[in-house]
């Protein structure tokens, strides 16, 4: 008996059954993996994300981007620039850069070697490599986002193809980051009109910059003697139960709070009620007083705020600064002044409270080098903090975080995170010579 005689179907029926069974397999496979298209498994799209970070913001955004892209059938790897071999550049298919700018247009510490290799004469060509850059910076500095700009132009010089224009982020980086991420998804995903997935920033993966740990102050005392004009505090912070780990060279990030007395003075000089609801960075709303204490930078001024204020004020000084628009005049006015000076010294016809806070910068976390050894104090972080207090324009002022820590009563636990700094590690070879430099409060007792 032949094979065709054993099967009680015609060739047309067999063909139909094969087609039907294939369609059922694809339907079932799609339930298991939404990336199964047209009966075939798609090959994951390789995406390399390089990040250079000084304060942890770029690192956090790179991690979030990697997770989001992985939900859209991309095979992602987020690599710190200090660990990346530039000779591998020609092998990349899709390269995304997330980098901050440090100081006067310099790259962050963990990106210095990468930048030197990228701009060297021996840097390889990058023909066929698709790329895009997210640059983080602070518009208060003249070389805004310079590190990102330099990398963007250099990759183009080496022949790489830009798939999405460089996006530059000021201190408030959430909205531009989302715009950049959406643009990338439009490129990588075949069906960009599908619903955008939930933002992974709301997903807690342990304690970090966006989810700091409420720590306990164990000890806090002034190291300087009675009568000294300096105030340097030894501060012991408990991180027990947080899961946070640190190594020699790492820093402790701290989310400070503004001085409530200064906040109250600002509110008293405006027609706003303290309980007025206003937007806060990263979404949500809060009472105006809470927003100014916890979320916004009231210590420094910025051009957008002064320009908007001048339009509602009769101040000739502000008008002169805005109309002349000279760098020196802006810097002279900004030096030693904060929001309180603008509000009190230059009365204006007020905007609403929501518009007012949108003109302020986000209150950024501060970082302090860790002075303790994890071998001796694994559940504690010891800091050596020089407390900044000074007088300018007839007012006593202080550093936002140093005074916050020095005056800490522990009624409100400081929120902290560990900022890893692989570029500041002691050498692995214990016999290697080291140069210890103390540019601040001293040499940490490693």
């Amino acid at each position: 008996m032949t094979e065709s005689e054993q099967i009680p179907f015609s060739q047309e029926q067999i063909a139909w059954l094969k087609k039907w069974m294939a369609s059922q397999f694809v339907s079932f496979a799609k339930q298991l993996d939404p990336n199964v298209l047209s009966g075939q498994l798609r090959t994951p799209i390789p995406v390399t994300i390089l990040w250079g970070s000084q304060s942890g913001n770029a690192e956090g955004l790179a991690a979030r981007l990697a997770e989001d892209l992985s939900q859209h059938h991309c095979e992602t790897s987020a690599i710190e620039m200090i660990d990346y071999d530039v000779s591998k550049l020609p092998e990349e298919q899709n390269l995304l850069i997330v980098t901050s700018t440090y100081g006067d247009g310099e790259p962050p510490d963990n990106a210095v070697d990468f930048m030197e290799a990228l701009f060297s004469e021996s840097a390889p060509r990058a023909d066929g490599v698709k790329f895009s850059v997210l640059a983080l910076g602070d518009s208060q500095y003249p070389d805004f986002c310079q590190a990102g700009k330099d990398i963007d132009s250099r990759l183009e010089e080496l022949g790489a193809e830009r798939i999405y224009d460089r996006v530059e982020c000021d201190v408030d980086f959430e909205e531009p980051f989302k715009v950049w991420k959406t643009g990338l998804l439009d490129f990588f995903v075949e069906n960009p009109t599908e619903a955008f997935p939930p933002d992974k920033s709301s997903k807690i993966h342990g304690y970090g910059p966006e989810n700091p740990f409420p720590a306990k102050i164990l000890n806090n005392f002034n190291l300087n003697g009675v009568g000294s004009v300096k105030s340097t505090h030894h501060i012991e912070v408990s991180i027990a139960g947080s899961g946070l780990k640190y190594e020699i060279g790492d820093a402790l990030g701290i989310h400070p709070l503004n001085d409530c007395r200064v906040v109250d003075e600002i509110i008293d000089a405006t027609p706003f009620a303290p309980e007025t609801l206003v937007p806060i960075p990263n979404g949500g709303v809060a009472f105006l007083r809470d927003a100014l204490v916890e979320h916004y930078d009231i210590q420094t001024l910025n051009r957008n705020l002064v320009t908007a204020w001048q339009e509602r004020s009769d101040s000739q000084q502000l008008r002169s600064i805005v109309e002349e628009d000279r760098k020196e005049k802006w810097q002279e006015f900004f030096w030693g002044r904060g929001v309180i000076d603008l509000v009190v010294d230059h009365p204006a016809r007020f905007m609403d409270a929501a518009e007012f806070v949108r003109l302020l910068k986000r209150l950024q976390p501060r970082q302090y080098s860790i002075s303790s050894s994890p071998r001796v104090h694994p559940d504690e972080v010891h800091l050596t903090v020089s407390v900044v207090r000074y007088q300018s324009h007839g007012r006593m002022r202080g550093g936002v975080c140093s005074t916050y820590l020095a005056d800490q009563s522990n009624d409100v636990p400081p929120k902290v995170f560990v900022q890893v700094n692989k570029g500041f590690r002691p050498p692995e070879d214990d016999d290697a010579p080291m140069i210890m430099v103390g540019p601040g409060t001293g040499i940490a007792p490693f």
Side-chain angles (χ1 to χ4, degrees), residues 159-194:
E161 177 188 349
R162 189 180 292 103
I163 59 176
Y164 193 82
D165 288 341
R166 180 183 70 249
V167 171
E168 297 171 5
C169 305
D170 206 340
V171 175
D172 297 324
F173 49 76
E174 284 296 335
E175 286 305 317
F177 169 66
K178 290 179 181 178
V179 170
W180 186 61
K181 183 173 67 175
T182 302
L184 296 175
L185 286 171
D186 285 347
F187 175 80
F188 290 124
V189 182
E190 292 186 8
N191 300 298
T193 57
E194 292 182 358

Side-chain angles (χ1 to χ4, degrees), residues 56-66 98 134 136 169 173-174 177:
N57 290 331
E59 177 183 5
L61 294 180
R64 287 165 54 187
L65 178 66
V98 183
L134 181 75
L136 280 69
C169 305
F173 49 76
E174 284 296 335
F177 169 66

Side-chain angles (χ1 to χ4, degrees), residues 50-59 79-83 97-116 133-137 143 145-151 367 419-424:
L50 299 184
W51 58 269
S53 185
Q54 195 72 29
S55 65
N57 290 331
E59 177 183 5
I79 304 173
E80 188 174 5
M81 287 182 178
I82 197 173
D83 295 328
I97 304 291
V98 183
T99 186
S100 61
T101 294
Y102 180 61
D104 296 326
E106 299 297 322
D109 292 340
N110 63 355
V112 172
D113 292 345
F114 170 80
M115 292 280 282
E116 289 181 355
V133 174
L134 181 75
L136 280 69
D143 296 316
C145 290
Q146 193 61 49
K149 293 176 182 176
D150 292 343
I151 294 175
Q367 293 183 21
Q419 179 56 52
V420 176
N421 189 349
K422 294 181 181 178
F424 199 53

Side-chain angles (χ1 to χ4, degrees), residues 206-239:
Y207 292 107
E210 297 300 322
N211 180 44
F213 174 68
K216 181 180 180 181
I217 300 292
L218 301 176
N219 219 334
N220 182 357
F221 57 87
N222 190 355
L223 294 169
N224 298 108
V226 177
S228 173
V229 295
K230 293 188 65 177
S231 177
T232 306
H233 277 236
H234 173 83
I235 301 173
E236 299 174 5
V237 181
S238 172
I239 56 172

Side-chain angles (χ1 to χ4, degrees), residues 121-134:
E121 292 183 359
S122 61
R125 294 287 300 174
D127 300 292
V129 178
K130 296 178 173 60
F131 81 98
S132 185
V133 174
L134 181 75

